[in-house]
Amino acid sequence: MASTQQKSKAIFTSKLEQLFGLDLRSLALFRIGLALVVLADLIIRAGDLTAHYTDAGVMPRSLLATILKPWYWSVHALGGQTWFQVILFLLAGFVALALLVGYRTRLAAIATWALMVSLHNRNPALIFAADDVIRALLFWAMFLPLGAYYSIDSALNTSTQKLPKRILSGATLALTLQQCFIYIFSAAFKAKSPLWWPDGSAVYYALSFDQYATPFGQFLLSLPSALLVLLTFSALWLETLGPLLLFVPVRTSFFRCCAIISFILLHIGFGLSFVLGIFPFLSTASWLAFIPTEVWDSVSKRLYTPERAGLQIYYDADCGFCKKVVHLIRTFLILPAQTPLLLAQDDPSIFADMQAKNSWVVVDWQGNRHFKWEAIAYVCSLSPIFKPLVPLLKWGPVMSVGTKFYETIASNRRAAGNFTKPFKFRPIEVRSSRPMNIVTLLLLAYVTIWNFRSFAPEKFNRKALNSIDWISRILRVDQSWSIFAPAPPRDDGWHVIPGKLKDGTEVNVLRDGEPVSWEKPSRKSRNALYQNMQWRTYFINLNRTIGKKLYPYYGQYLCRDWNARHQGSKQLDNFEIDFMNERTVPPGQPQNVEKKPAWQQSCSQNPEQYQ
């Protein structure tokens, strides 16, 4: 009887792990993708660092204090100078880079999440859907063993215990359900609108929104309306049912791969059709965490060759720098984990070659020995990632420069060791911790309730829930996945800012002094206007309720920016902001454009005078 119960328990645990456990190699790939997106996002935002995150920009701290929600916090708001923001951006880039290479991975994940929350809270007028997604993913990433594979941490792992392929924990369950929440609640919000169901015209209205649509999106808009309706229903049903493929109890790996491929293709389609910044790349990276173990095992079998299996690497036992480097090479070139890293001093013949060549010694499967840069090229030829670079590495000029570079490092190993000093050999422990599981499951329950509450506030507006709102605000897990929901925006249009210089000349302030034109701008001109998703989101917010608070400070920013670049009579005296409202109409109806005066500004007045 006991044996039967144990067997049943083992089967149940195995099935639970299959459905909610995640492969450590998938989590490592997820880490790399997420870190690359964070770095790209920081680089994009850094281009408008002064305009968006300092007191000289569109969101000075005096304005931020009036719009920031209770319990939101921001280290970036502690200083309003450009140099202060530069330091924080560099710090964020450093910790994101640490996350990318897997150095002190958990600490890097925590720091990346904290700095991202701080950055988002510094200017709420720039936040769009991708920012909500990246915060949610980074939040759960803090609790996951992201550095168990393909990382500096794993390369320098001293534990004698073999790492498992998969892990089941509260955090893996939380990440899985979080991924489902993003799509299922997004679909639920959409289903509230007749444009999505049953009318099916949502894709038409989305593609008609010129501020987002791409040339490919315009091509789709020219397709027959029946096809646009089909695309609407396809997107709605995929968001509703697609995530459930992760939980099919039979042929789980097959259905999970179907979900991954389907959603990656969906986001590729979104990226081709709309200007969405980092969103398609971020969403693609999020699905990498769910690649099944069977896929990795299959890839490993395909990668097996006698050449890879027979590789041996010898290094100088007296060189700590050399020891770390060969461990890093084995990990980041994705060589077999069993590739022996041996002490040259243990083999007299190898040791003699090492001394004669002043080089590490790489022995191939046929017993041939390789040295210096040529050995690097050979090892790269066995790497599934770097193999395409081998012709370049062996090219004469590169081989010559590479060899000289290697000889310089080899002759200055002690000095080179200063660069690897921070990297310490230490054990990695991957296990499911009961206290951590309790914490993550409680947080998951909280996030789940929050998602239902955001979808149906009338049913979850209870005093007990309101009293713990501060938790979601501090952690920034206050989620609402109303992406293009309940319906795509219809208030399309563009801004025109005619201004007068001190000499009386009329100019278009928004287009750096070009003649004022009320005509609809070309796509190229619009892309120049909305340089990135942050500016696109900001201009959209100017037309919303928050715009009443934004306009005075945006006006002052325009005055400062223009007058800092012009002198004397060419400085800006005053201007007005008009919005050319091009509300999207049903197919076949005439399109009207309405000029809506939005703001008037004198460059001699302060924002407080407009309050």
Side-chain angles (χ1 to χ4, degrees), residues 496-525:
V496 179
I497 306 182
K500 283 192 176 181
L501 306 183
K502 290 183 178 180
D503 65 4
T505 305
E506 186 177 58
V507 296
N508 189 334
V509 178
L510 202 54
R511 303 203 181 181
D512 202 25
E514 294 181 8
V516 176
S517 173
W518 306 96
E519 297 298 318
K520 184 174 181 177
S522 66
R523 190 165 304 282
K524 183 178 179 180
S525 299

Side-chain angles (χ1 to χ4, degrees), residues 103-116:
Y103 174 62
R104 297 295 184 97
T105 311
R106 191 177 297 279
L107 181 60
I110 294 171
T112 302
W113 166 80
L115 287 169
M116 188 61 71

Side-chain angles (χ1 to χ4, degrees), residues 349-463:
S349 175
I350 294 289
F351 185 53
D353 275 351
M354 184 195 80
Q355 288 185 310
K357 302 285 187 180
N358 191 24
S359 168
W360 67 331
V361 183
V362 174
V363 181
D364 65 26
W365 68 300
Q366 294 177 322
N368 301 312
R369 297 178 183 180
H370 306 263
F371 307 96
K372 299 183 180 179
W373 185 263
E374 190 275 330
I376 292 176
Y378 175 72
V379 172
C380 286
S381 72
L382 303 177
S383 169
I385 302 297
F386 294 95
K387 187 175 182 178
L389 296 178
V390 173
L392 176 63
L393 297 176
K394 288 185 175 181
W395 183 44
V398 175
M399 179 65 73
S400 177
V401 173
T403 300
K404 289 180 181 178
F405 173 76
Y406 182 92
E407 290 172 347
T408 301
I409 296 295
S411 300
N412 298 275
R413 284 179 257 183
R414 183 169 296 180
N418 292 324
F419 293 97
T420 58
K421 229 175 228 182
F423 306 147
K424 306 293 185 183
F425 284 96
R426 56 172 59 86
I428 288 181
E429 186 176 342
V430 176
R431 62 187 180 88
S432 183
S433 164
R434 178 172 292 182
M436 188 67 76
N437 286 338
I438 292 174
V439 170
T440 50
L441 290 175
L442 286 174
L443 288 169
L444 174 61
Y446 182 82
V447 169
T448 302
I449 293 172
W450 186 276
N451 274 278
F452 278 104
R453 184 183 175 191
S454 67
F455 175 70
E458 68 282 355
K459 296 182 180 179
F460 291 88
N461 190 19
R462 298 178 182 176
K463 188 175 181 179

Side-chain angles (χ1 to χ4, degrees), residues 559-578:
C559 290
R560 286 192 300 268
D561 180 63
W562 180 280
N563 290 339
R565 295 181 288 109
H566 299 83
Q567 302 297 323
S569 62
K570 294 301 180 182
Q571 288 196 322
L572 190 61
D573 182 66
N574 63 79
F575 61 86
E576 66 179 43
I577 302 177
D578 299 310

Side-chain angles (χ1 to χ4, degrees), residues 255-269:
F255 286 107
R256 186 158 288 203
C257 286
C258 289
I260 294 169
I261 294 171
S262 297
F263 279 103
I264 288 178
L265 290 176
L266 176 70
H267 287 292
I268 290 175

